[in-house]
Amino acid sequence: MIELIAQAAPEFNPFWGTEPSPEAIWKIFAAIAVGIVFMFLLMRVPTRSRRSIVMTFTFLSGAFYVVYYLWPEPINRGPNDAPSGFVDAGGFFLQDALPKVADIANVLTYLLLCLGIYSLTRIHLGRVVKKQKDWSFSVVLLIAMVAMIAVGYWDYILKEFNDPDKLLTKAENWGGVNYAYDMLFDGLIQQMDAAMFSMIAFFILSAAYRAFRIRSIEATVMMASAILLMVSLMGAVDYQWSEIIKGWTNDQPGNFLNNFNLSEVAGWVKNNLQIPSIRALEFGVGLGALAMGLRIWLGLERGGVSV
Amino acid sequence: MNETFFWWKLTIGVIATIGLYSVLYRETKLYRFFEHLFLGLAAGFTLVALWKETLKPLWWDKMTGSATIDPITNVSTMDAPGYWVYGFLLPIGLMGYLVFTKRHNWMSRIPIGVILGFWSGQQVQIWWNRWGAQIYSSMQPVWPTTTDSFTRPYSADLPAPEQAYIAAQLYPSQAISNLIFVITILAALSYFFFSFDMKGRLLKGSNTLGRWLLMIGFGAIFGSTVMARFVLEIDRMSYIFVEWMDQTGKMFGGG
Amino acid sequence: MQYLDTGKWHVIFTLLLVFFILFNIWRAKGKKDMFVRRIPGLNAIDDAIGRATEMGRPVLMVPGLGDLNAISAQAINIFAQVTKTAAQFGTPIRLCCANAAVFTLAQETIRDVYQQQGQIERYDVDSVRFVSDRQFAFAAGVSGMIHREKCAATFFLGEFFAESLIFAETANAVGAIQVAGSTQTVQTPFFIAACDYVLIGDEFYAASAYLTREPVLVGSLVGQDWSKIVVAGLIILGFVTNSVERSQPATQKRVDVDATADTEAYTTWEDVSEPWENGKPVLKRRQDTWLFKQFNPFIEQEDVIVEREQRQPAEAGEGS
Amino acid sequence: MSKPEKSFWEKAQAIDRRVLYAVLIVCTAISLFFKTEIPVNPDDSSKDLYVSLMTIDPNKTVLIESDWTNSTRGESAGHFEALMRILMNRNIKFVLYSIADPQAPQVARDALLRIQEERKAQGLKVYEPWVDYLDLGYFPNAEGHLQAVGNNIRTAWGGRKERDEAGVERDVFTSPVLSGVRVVGDASLLIVCSASATIDIAVERLYGKVPLGFMVTGVMGPNALPYYQARQIVGMGVGLKGVYDVEYMMTYGVNYRVEGTNKPKVSYREESVTIPPVTEGTTFDRGARYFLPLHVALALMILAIILGNVAMFASRKKRVVA
């Protein structure tokens, strides 16, 4: 137990990490300031060196994971182990750095999020201002958005800061805002999600009726295996069929005919035809991703998404 | 309060569901209304979640760290150190916003480059974890270890050693299935050769066969996916016709 | 070096694949019009855009729901090609994104395309738009748009999930030509059922090589083919050796000991007590074969014991 | 030349899709009100999952990654509820966490609450937070997080605090649930109850470090199948069939022979295993309720395909004659 508590205490590098305290805030501001200065320096760089700058950023970020992969992983690491030798030390460093590095990509992604919302708002505000077709619906959109933001953050502040004893986790202690939030989120967003999702069932039905025609061998085999699978999913049919087979084999479990139970046949198709064919496809996709990854990482592409 | 609220919540959910379903009939004003309502709420929620679910836990908390102050001794213990360098991420992220500017839009490629870089690096790292075991499990033995019987005999009623023996054997039927497995994967793989022309009977044949086998695979996927889709529709029906009606009964049926 | 976590083999193998790809990219430098096998879906692009131009209706492009990664990047690469043609004809385009980072990249890339085509005045910032990052809000928004703007051609390329069929059927309802392809194998059958042209699996990655014939892209395509051949070869080697070995009598059995609270997992051999079971020799099991050993490295107990001196707990957690 | 009258089949071919939609709604809605127990032969993958759930060491903790939201309630809720019932019946401690969606934890919490209420009503043991289970909530950044868990679970979850039975906030690793867990492998099983591609991430980042079991929607089933076939996961329940399979096995046991019958209702390939039925608590629930409507829907689907083809051929023949 002692050992566990010791582990629970965080380890950190005293340079990057700081004790939570007022002066920590200054360090943070310093970091932001440095970043902004850096940004303005970048604005000055000549056009020809831009590509190499972007490529450097990409390369360095990719390099971490590649090194992490190639570097021997320290095994059996105890909570208070000191590294034994250089290789081990490197392994320790990479292991500790990994979670932090993993955050960076996400933080950046989310920092970009407002850009998307900006585009959405722009388009719909434009519609309202220009009184374009359907502008009234754009008003609905904007109102809904503002309402959700207001209620959402209000509810969040109530729950996060004004509720030390976590009373609001139970509905009976709720106030109006919490109800409003629950109504908007659970009552509307969630249900609309489910509604849109469930609509696919209808589309499948019509697509099947329209498109699943015996036109070519391909279409036919696809249809056949689809129907076989669907029938095997109908437990009752499957069971009745197996009962019939039991009749033929007079319930001899060893009998060869038992392999013709629907679930057996469907399972066989899955295991010996679906899995290998799809697996081959996935190999290709995996290799494609690997190749594309390498091209991006090493900046081998030009045009399209790369500068 | 609670019961009534719950009923209203259900009711509004039902109305919204019907509103969206209306597009199945035609793209009407009703659908348009609920579509824009949905988009608005979703966008709003995105902005709420942006701080609450992601930036705060992922960025702010880790940047500032956290400490608890013991109410009695008033000694502050650090739970997690603050990583002030995370502050540097803010300007990097903000560079993305230059995408709309005329002169500096190229800088938006920097955060994007970083994100893509991480992803690319990981590809090298995860490839084997994902595919290694699958490559191995594709190397199936195709030579039966025994010919006592064509299929694996039913061994439930036999003594343990017999069972163990039977379990360890590879019977002809299984061997044939394995052979089919291997042929399938090779044929399907051959369909995905792009850079050289498939000449010759064998290659052409395996290419076509590969495509058919892929279609069988897709059919099977279609079959089992259909289940999921229908269940969701059934669940909506139960939401409307069972849950909502029950609650309505409770509300008005004196229940 | 201790590659005890998974063994050395996989590192070498992965590096081999990496080498194949890079080597072929290097080899392809400067070569012109190399062979890429025909991909039907991609020949349809021009007809689709032409049709849209005649009808004066927009071309819709959706790079899927995925985060910013090579898949969405590849989708946008293809869309850049589509946009090139559209820009020449002056066909209006719509590119709907579900991820802000992807949106940023798309915005930047599409503008570049118009710039290079010298059609920058035709470029409308709002033609590339972010709809919602919530799967079904996105689905609702895009299908509403398909209905209202009656898109004449739709391109669904990238990581699609459940929404794939909503898009495909809606677009079908307004009679659009559809080119689709998803790296999500599970969605491909739905595209096949509902769309006119479908890129299956790897074809999606081959697309940009096919469209541009860039030596770099075609080169890496060759590298991918080499890698596939190696995988195929490995499988063939595997099923042959496995078939042989599984019918050989076993002398030792492999025993895997799981990880416990104070040690990692390790493996040992155990002699087969009686080599004959009811009159038949005991044969090698799956895990006794040579190949299994290659893929599941054999780790002795002593390998997993590493001596490290202990830090002082004080040092371990400063400020604690 | 006058246009020939359209035949029934030609009309059928050009049938308005809305008719199909209406039929589907009506049939499924009606069949919801009939409750029948349908006999099945559970899939092998479901059997493997259920058997490993019923045979794991009850003193070890089970990790549950709950990655579903309201939009896949139909299938995932069934899986999750069945899982809760099994673990609570066997009195196994568990940890709940989510990586797919910020809403996932709340949805899981509600489901857990439902089961708790149900068990309270049945007079069974009710699980206490901190003592019997931990609810760690949502971790953003799926890849990064699972990577971190595999690499060192104690640093990955180190910062998290929960209220213990006394209401004091403490590090989760001091709780009875996690105190025995040093590496992720110390957990007996990691169950991923998912409706999304997080199963791939789980395999990529955690395979070989802890036994994995999947409870996935029918959509993710085909994705997960190769992992099952390659023995990267111990077993999996797929879609509603998977839910019903598990409920069915809970009711009738595995390889369990009732006196006077020579064959068990559910037989398992490893004959040494025998699992008696679950005697206390609910067994048949959501799976049983939705299974009949599913039959109806699938039957409709097959009918639609067949009719579509018949219509095509019939009208084609007519055209040849005309």
Side-chain angles (χ1 to χ4, degrees):
Chain A
M1 205 58 198
I2 303 304
E3 177 256 6
L4 298 185
I5 307 239
Q7 170 58 26
E11 284 183 36
F12 73 101
N13 172 323
F15 178 68
W16 301 112
T18 63
E19 295 256 7
S21 60
E23 50 271 25
I25 303 297
W26 289 114
K27 280 191 169 183
I28 292 167
F29 276 123
I32 297 180
V34 172
I36 291 174
V37 170
F38 177 68
M39 195 165 129
F40 280 107
L41 288 181
L42 279 181
M43 288 183 175
R44 298 266 164 281
V45 299
T47 322
R48 64 181 182 291
S49 49
R50 287 174 178 178
R51 182 163 190 272
S52 42
I53 290 174
V54 176
M55 269 170 56
T56 322
F57 272 93
T58 315
F59 178 79
L60 290 179
S61 359
F64 175 83
Y65 281 97
V66 176
V67 173
Y68 177 84
Y69 172 64
L70 294 177
W71 200 276
E73 184 177 347
I75 52 157
N76 225 341
R77 179 181 178 181
N80 299 327
D81 283 5
S84 63
F86 171 71
V87 174
D88 217 23
F92 273 36
F93 170 78
L94 289 168
Q95 232 180 40
D96 298 336
L98 183 74
K100 284 127 198 148
V101 173
D103 288 337
I104 296 176
N106 275 52
V107 172
L108 289 181
T109 315
Y110 286 110
L111 283 174
L112 289 177
L113 198 53
C114 299
L115 206 54
I117 304 297
Y118 164 73
S119 125
L120 190 71
T121 333
R122 225 181 84 119
I123 290 171
H124 287 277
L125 268 181
R127 278 207 196 137
V128 177
V129 174
K130 299 201 199 85
K131 292 266 186 295
Q132 280 167 342
K133 187 166 169 296
D134 286 342
W135 66 273
S136 49
F137 293 108
S138 300
V139 175
V140 174
L141 185 145
L142 293 169
I143 292 174
M145 184 163 112
V146 174
M148 188 70 209
I149 295 172
V151 173
Y153 273 107
W154 193 349
D155 168 87
Y156 165 67
I157 290 163
L158 285 182
K159 283 182 178 154
E160 191 73 12
F161 306 108
N162 304 11
D163 182 30
D165 310 330
K166 300 261 178 291
L167 291 174
L168 289 177
T169 49
K170 294 193 175 52
E172 55 261 31
N173 311 328
W174 280 2
V177 181
N178 312 95
Y179 277 114
Y181 177 73
D182 191 54
M183 177 65 83
L184 289 182
F185 179 67
D186 206 29
L188 278 168
I189 294 188
Q190 297 265 46
Q191 304 312 333
M192 291 207 218
D193 267 343
M196 275 317 280
F197 204 166
S198 63
M199 240 184 252
I200 301 166
F202 301 101
F203 292 138
I204 282 189
L205 192 62
S206 65
Y209 184 78
R210 200 189 68 248
F212 257 156
R213 302 285 170 90
I214 305 180
R215 289 210 185 80
S216 61
I217 302 176
E218 290 175 14
T220 316
V221 288
M222 182 168 162
M223 193 180 87
S225 68
I227 291 184
L228 172 67
L229 255 285
M230 282 188 268
V231 175
S232 76
L233 284 173
M234 299 164 77
V237 181
D238 173 35
Y239 189 82
Q240 291 315 322
W241 179 246
S242 66
E243 289 301 312
I244 296 173
I245 283 182
K246 276 200 192 119
W248 296 344
T249 65
N250 44 50
D251 210 356
Q252 284 305 314
N255 193 306
F256 181 67
L257 287 177
N258 287 324
N259 296 317
F260 293 95
N261 281 328
L262 273 175
S263 47
E264 293 290 327
V265 179
W268 189 89
V269 170
K270 277 197 212 146
N271 287 327
N272 298 297
L273 296 176
Q274 180 197 328
I275 291 181
S277 54
I278 297 308
R279 181 176 290 173
L281 184 152
E282 294 273 352
F283 275 140
V285 173
L287 283 167
L290 180 66
M292 181 96 189
L294 284 169
R295 295 202 301 269
I296 293 175
W297 176 45
L298 302 171
L300 296 173
E301 276 186 49
R302 275 177 176 278
V305 298
S306 359
V307 215
Chain B
M1 176 61 188
N2 234 330
E3 279 294 303
T4 339
F5 172 75
F6 186 58
W7 180 79
W8 276 110
K9 199 167 117 183
L10 275 177
T11 314
I12 285 183
V14 170
I15 295 170
T17 309
I18 295 169
L20 287 177
Y21 270 13
S22 70
V23 76
L24 292 172
Y25 176 71
R26 189 147 43 70
E27 201 269 340
T28 58
K29 288 222 173 335
L30 183 65
Y31 173 77
R32 223 170 284 179
F33 173 80
F34 279 102
E35 174 202 334
H36 285 80
L37 180 68
F38 194 9
L39 281 175
L41 289 174
F45 183 76
T46 302
L47 282 182
V48 176
L50 173 64
W51 180 256
K52 184 172 147 190
E53 313 282 4
T54 49
L55 282 185
K56 185 170 186 299
L58 266 180
W59 182 61
W60 182 258
D61 287 352
K62 293 190 177 175
M63 185 162 66
T64 54
S66 61
T68 36
I69 295 151
D70 190 319
I72 305 101
T73 60
N74 206 350
V75 177
S76 111
T77 5
M78 179 178 67
D79 306 321
Y83 293 93
W84 56 273
V85 273
Y86 275 48
F88 195 70
L89 292 177
L90 184 62
I92 301 266
L94 290 182
M95 289 181 191
Y97 289 75
L98 295 172
V99 71
F100 288 114
T101 63
K102 290 270 168 297
R103 279 181 56 240
H104 304 300
N105 56 345
W106 70 276
M107 283 169 72
S108 64
R109 287 182 184 274
I110 289 176
I112 288 175
V114 173
I115 297 170
L116 282 175
F118 283 130
W119 189 88
S120 313
Q122 286 188 4
Q123 291 317 299
V124 181
Q125 182 206 355
I126 63 178
W127 200 87
W128 185 263
N129 261 12
R130 179 144 179 207
W131 304 113
Q134 298 199 24
I135 293 178
Y136 177 75
S137 75
S138 310
M139 306 171 167
Q140 304 211 356
V142 297
W143 192 256
T145 59
T146 172
T147 49
D148 302 350
S149 91
F150 181 66
T151 54
R152 184 179 180 207
Y154 184 75
S155 55
D157 319 326
L158 301 174
E162 293 269 332
Q163 284 186 8
Y165 173 76
I166 288 175
Q169 298 306 316
L170 182 68
Y171 287 89
S173 58
Q174 186 55 39
I176 293 170
S177 303
N178 290 357
L179 184 62
I180 294 174
F181 184 103
V182 174
I183 292 173
T184 310
I185 196 167
L186 292 178
L189 212 48
S190 78
Y191 174 74
F192 290 104
F193 287 133
F194 293 101
S195 62
F196 50 86
D197 206 351
M198 283 288 180
K199 289 209 188 67
R201 284 278 260 352
L202 180 68
L203 284 177
K204 269 209 171 61
S206 75
N207 194 314
T208 333
L209 178 65
R211 197 173 160 85
W212 292 351
L213 290 164
L214 276 168
M215 288 304 154
I216 295 181
F218 286 137
I221 291 180
F222 190 97
S224 55
T225 313
V226 162
M227 165 174 67
R229 303 311 190 204
F230 280 130
V231 172
L232 295 178
E233 189 263 350
I234 292 164
D235 185 60
R236 280 301 95 187
M237 292 303 130
S238 125
Y239 175 74
I240 297 175
F241 291 105
V242 180
E243 291 171 38
W244 181 69
M245 285 196 173
D246 286 358
Q247 193 62 22
T248 317
K250 277 211 206 99
M251 282 284 295
F252 304 106
Chain C
M1 307 251 288
Q2 315 151 321
Y3 276 106
L4 296 179
D5 50 335
T6 34
K8 298 182 190 59
W9 212 133
H10 70 292
V11 179
I12 296 163
F13 189 76
T14 315
L15 290 180
L16 181 71
L17 301 188
V18 171
F19 167 76
F20 280 170
I21 294 165
L22 295 182
F23 174 68
N24 280 293
I25 290 179
W26 170 78
R27 231 171 44 122
K29 281 250 157 62
K31 284 194 190 172
K32 282 277 156 284
D33 47 43
M34 298 161 76
F35 174 84
V36 181
R37 93 150 153 70
R38 194 170 162 285
I39 303 175
L42 296 172
N43 300 352
I45 290 182
D46 290 356
D47 325 350
I49 296 174
R51 186 154 166 277
T53 322
E54 288 161 20
M55 304 168 107
R57 291 195 205 155
V59 175
L60 173 70
M61 296 174 265
V62 182
L65 211 67
D67 300 346
L68 178 56
N69 55 30
I71 300 162
S72 34
Q74 169 67 1
I76 291 174
N77 269 337
I78 303 174
F79 293 158
Q81 295 300 321
V82 175
T83 313
K84 230 181 227 153
T85 327
Q88 288 155 4
F89 293 133
T91 320
I93 62 161
R94 297 276 177 278
L95 204 159
C96 296
C97 302
N99 174 296
V102 176
F103 164 74
T104 317
L105 181 59
Q107 190 65 259
E108 171 70 1
T109 314
I110 297 299
R111 172 189 294 146
D112 280 2
V113 172
Y114 275 93
Q115 207 128 35
Q116 284 151 15
Q117 296 299 307
Q119 307 278 8
I120 191 67
E121 72 288 345
R122 278 184 179 168
Y123 169 67
D124 166 17
V125 181
D126 293 343
S127 63
V128 179
R129 45 179 83 162
F130 172 90
V131 176
S132 171
D133 68 341
R134 241 188 124 71
Q135 185 177 12
F136 291 104
F138 183 68
V142 173
S143 48
M145 185 169 126
I146 296 175
H147 270 300
R148 285 189 290 276
E149 309 211 348
K150 299 257 176 298
C151 303
T154 57
F155 298 88
F156 305 121
L157 300 168
E159 266 181 303
F160 284 84
F161 299 89
E163 72 282 2
S164 60
L165 197 64
I166 301 183
F167 293 164
E169 274 295 292
T170 317
N172 178 280
V174 300
I177 297 186
Q178 307 178 63
V179 181
S182 176
T183 51
Q184 286 292 322
T185 324
V186 180
Q187 300 305 333
T188 314
F190 296 98
F191 278 143
I192 293 179
C195 295
D196 305 314
Y197 302 95
V198 181
L199 302 180
I200 296 173
D202 212 0
E203 292 178 340
F204 172 71
Y205 283 109
S208 51
Y210 183 82
L211 292 170
T212 61
R213 303 295 161 125
E214 283 264 339
V216 172
L217 301 178
V218 182
S220 89
L221 208 54
V222 178
Q224 284 155 251
D225 280 0
W226 284 24
S227 314
K228 282 172 203 158
I229 293 170
V230 169
V231 170
L234 211 56
I235 291 174
I236 294 171
L237 172 88
F239 84 82
V240 172
T241 56
N242 270 342
S243 310
V244 175
E245 270 200 283
R246 284 294 296 281
S247 34
Q248 289 174 343
T251 54
Q252 287 186 309
K253 280 188 189 297
R254 175 186 172 122
V255 182
D256 291 298
V257 182
D258 296 344
T260 64
D262 40 44
T263 170
E264 306 277 321
Y266 65 94
T267 333
T268 73
W269 288 115
E270 190 180 86
D271 289 346
V272 176
S273 49
E274 80 282 353
W276 294 84
E277 250 172 12
N278 43 26
K280 305 205 178 47
V282 176
L283 301 176
K284 285 185 181 171
R285 300 162 308 158
R286 185 168 158 282
Q287 58 269 51
D288 302 333
T289 56
W290 169 76
L291 260 170
F292 188 87
K293 187 163 183 269
Q294 303 313 313
F295 280 77
N296 307 269
F298 191 89
I299 301 166
E300 312 281 351
Q301 188 168 12
E302 47 270 22
D303 300 348
V304 295
I305 299 167
V306 185
E307 286 311 323
R308 297 194 186 92
E309 74 272 18
Q310 296 289 299
R311 287 209 208 93
Q312 299 313 314
E315 206 184 314
E318 300 214 3
S320 58
Chain D
M1 173 185 159
S2 68
K3 206 161 133 292
E5 180 58 25
K6 273 197 168 188
S7 81
F8 166 74
W9 287 118
E10 279 171 314
K11 287 209 201 75
Q13 242 194 320
I15 188 172
D16 189 337
R17 55 184 86 204
R18 287 170 245 178
V19 178
L20 296 169
Y21 300 160
V23 175
L24 180 61
I25 290 186
V26 172
C27 296
T28 47
I30 291 174
S31 55
L32 260 174
F33 293 93
F34 297 91
K35 300 211 172 355
T36 51
E37 182 196 319
I38 299 164
V40 290
N41 306 316
D43 302 340
D44 287 343
S45 59
S46 319
K47 288 181 192 167
D48 286 337
L49 180 73
Y50 183 70
V51 167
S52 47
L53 272 173
M54 296 303 282
T55 49
I56 45 171
D57 175 2
N59 306 320
K60 281 185 160 189
T61 303
V62 171
L63 308 179
I64 302 173
E65 181 179 312
S66 167
D67 288 342
W68 57 283
T69 62
N70 203 39
S71 50
T72 55
R73 191 184 71 157
E75 284 176 318
S76 306
H79 279 302
F80 190 80
E81 288 160 355
L83 179 62
M84 287 298 119
R85 292 194 178 103
I86 293 173
L87 292 180
M88 289 179 177
N89 276 325
R90 295 202 60 210
N91 197 1
I92 296 175
K93 298 185 183 336
F94 61 86
V95 179
L96 275 176
Y97 72 96
S98 310
I99 59 172
D101 193 314
Q103 283 88 58
Q106 192 50 47
V107 190
R109 244 167 253 143
D110 298 345
L112 175 60
L113 209 65
R114 268 203 303 282
I115 304 297
Q116 295 275 44
E117 296 297 329
E118 172 191 301
R119 286 175 64 86
K120 206 179 287 168
Q122 293 161 339
L124 301 169
K125 176 181 190 288
V126 173
Y127 263 40
E128 294 301 327
W130 183 266
V131 183
D132 300 313
Y133 75 94
L134 278 174
D135 182 352
L136 298 187
Y138 171 65
F139 293 92
N141 181 1
E143 286 86 355
H145 183 68
L146 285 195
Q147 184 94 52
V149 166
N151 139 1
N152 181 347
I153 190 170
R154 285 191 162 272
T155 48
W157 291 352
R160 292 273 163 156
K161 300 214 169 282
E162 287 294 327
R163 289 166 176 271
D164 64 8
E165 57 269 64
V168 185
E169 288 230 330
R170 288 166 60 192
D171 184 287
V172 290
F173 280 96
T174 59
S175 79
V177 181
L178 275 177
S179 56
V181 177
R182 187 181 127 278
V183 296
V184 65
D186 293 340
S188 56
L189 202 58
L190 169 62
I191 298 284
V192 184
C193 187
S194 174
S196 70
T198 49
I199 54 172
D200 299 331
I201 305 172
V203 171
E204 283 161 4
R205 306 302 201 280
L206 293 177
Y207 165 61
K209 299 192 168 173
V210 59
L212 295 163
F214 286 173
M215 289 179 138
V216 295
T217 54
V219 188
M220 297 321 287
N223 258 24
L225 199 57
Y227 300 134
Y228 171 67
Q229 195 266 356
R231 306 181 192 200
Q232 284 163 296
I233 57 174
V234 295
M236 60 175 188
V238 178
L240 189 74
K241 175 76 161 53
V243 179
Y244 189 71
D245 284 348
V246 170
E247 290 178 358
Y248 196 76
M249 285 187 277
M250 284 166 81
T251 319
Y252 294 110
V254 175
N255 282 341
Y256 177 78
R257 291 180 170 77
V258 188
E259 274 61 358
T261 57
N262 68 328
K263 264 185 115 284
K265 243 178 154 44
V266 179
S267 51
Y268 185 54
R269 73 171 175 287
E270 268 158 42
E271 287 83 4
S272 51
V273 185
T274 306
I275 297 168
V278 175
T279 47
E280 53 175 30
T282 317
T283 53
F284 276 130
D285 186 23
R286 203 178 283 267
R289 268 190 282 130
Y290 291 176
F291 206 41
L292 177 67
L294 178 65
H295 278 69
V296 176
L298 287 172
L300 262 178
M301 178 85 179
I302 295 166
L303 201 67
I305 295 177
I306 295 170
L307 277 181
N309 284 285
V310 173
M312 179 179 74
F313 280 111
S315 53
R316 195 181 277 168
K317 203 182 287 108
K318 185 170 176 302
R319 220 170 287 117
V320 176
V321 176

